[in-house]
């Protein structure tokens, strides 16, 4: 994709990801509007950063902490994010994508990063319907 296409993709994907959180009854009350703006950050060269620490501290501790112990829930969250990225890409008429997805955790008051890779061979098991209001994932 060209730099222009990457920028357009990043904007559309960020809108779709924020809408997913806002429309999800299990997530929308677990993050402030201010923190939601920074939950998903796209960088043209570094890919997508997901800062799970933006969620309410009680929710974060219950669902994502410790990172090693709750890895399946983090993986599931990232899987849904990847499905939304793939859906955004195909809705723009694009086929290929190689993106690094980095997840930020707090481990003993130190940031802990876990990196995932999504490339053109990624085949989601389901296609998200972004118009639905019930993204029930936890």
């Amino acid at each position: 994709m060209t730099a222009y296409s990457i920028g357009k993709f990043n904007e559309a994907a960020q809108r779709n990801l924020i809408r997913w959180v806002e429309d999800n009854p299990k997530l929308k009350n677990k993050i402030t509007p201010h923190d939601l703006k920074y939950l998903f950050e796209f960088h043209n060269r570094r890919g997508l950063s997901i800062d799970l620490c933006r969620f309410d501290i009680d929710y974060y501790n219950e669902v994502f902490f410790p990172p090693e112990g709750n890895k399946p829930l983090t993986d599931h969250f990232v899987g849904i994010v990847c499905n939304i990225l793939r859906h955004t890409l195909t809705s723009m008429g694009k086929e290929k994508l190689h993106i690094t997805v980095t997840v930020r955790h707090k481990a003993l008051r130190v940031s802990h990063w876990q990196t995932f890779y999504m490339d053109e061979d990624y085949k989601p098991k389901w296609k998200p319907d972004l118009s639905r209001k019930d993204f029930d994932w936890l």
Side-chain angles (χ1 to χ4, degrees):
M1 285 198 292
T2 66
Y4 175 77
S5 296
I6 291 170
K8 289 287 188 192
F9 168 75
N10 290 350
E11 289 172 19
Q14 185 155 18
R15 273 192 313 272
N16 287 339
L17 290 167
I18 288 173
R19 187 173 59 208
W20 166 58
V21 173
E22 290 173 334
D23 291 348
N24 186 322
K26 291 187 177 181
L27 296 177
K28 74 176 182 178
N29 295 325
K30 307 300 182 193
I31 191 166
T32 66
H34 172 77
D35 283 331
L36 181 56
K37 286 193 266 185
Y38 300 102
L39 178 62
F40 305 105
E41 291 190 277
F42 284 89
H43 307 278
N44 287 342
R45 287 184 277 151
R46 291 181 282 153
L48 169 63
S49 295
I50 303 171
D51 187 355
L52 294 177
C53 304
R54 294 287 179 170
F55 281 107
D56 173 77
I57 190 70
D58 293 332
Y59 181 76
Y60 172 80
N61 286 337
E62 178 186 334
V63 177
F64 299 112
F65 191 82
E68 303 80 26
N70 287 331
K71 186 177 181 327
L73 293 175
T74 301
D75 290 349
H76 189 72
F77 186 88
V78 171
I80 292 173
V81 167
C82 288
N83 283 338
I84 292 170
L85 295 178
R86 173 57 73 187
H87 173 76
T88 303
L89 187 72
T90 56
S91 71
M92 294 177 74
K94 306 288 183 188
E95 296 285 325
K96 297 190 180 226
L97 176 69
H98 178 84
I99 189 169
T100 303
V101 178
T102 305
V103 178
R104 181 174 180 222
H105 280 284
K106 284 197 178 182
L108 303 175
R109 298 183 186 183
V110 176
S111 291
H112 167 75
W113 297 89
Q114 180 179 3
T115 302
F116 299 79
Y117 297 95
M118 182 177 151
D119 63 24
E120 55 270 8
D121 296 328
Y122 176 73
K123 301 287 189 264
K125 294 179 181 157
W126 56 272
K127 184 176 178 182
D129 178 1
L130 297 180
S131 64
R132 284 185 21 205
K133 301 284 186 200
D134 58 342
F135 287 98
D136 202 16
W137 73 280
L138 286 176

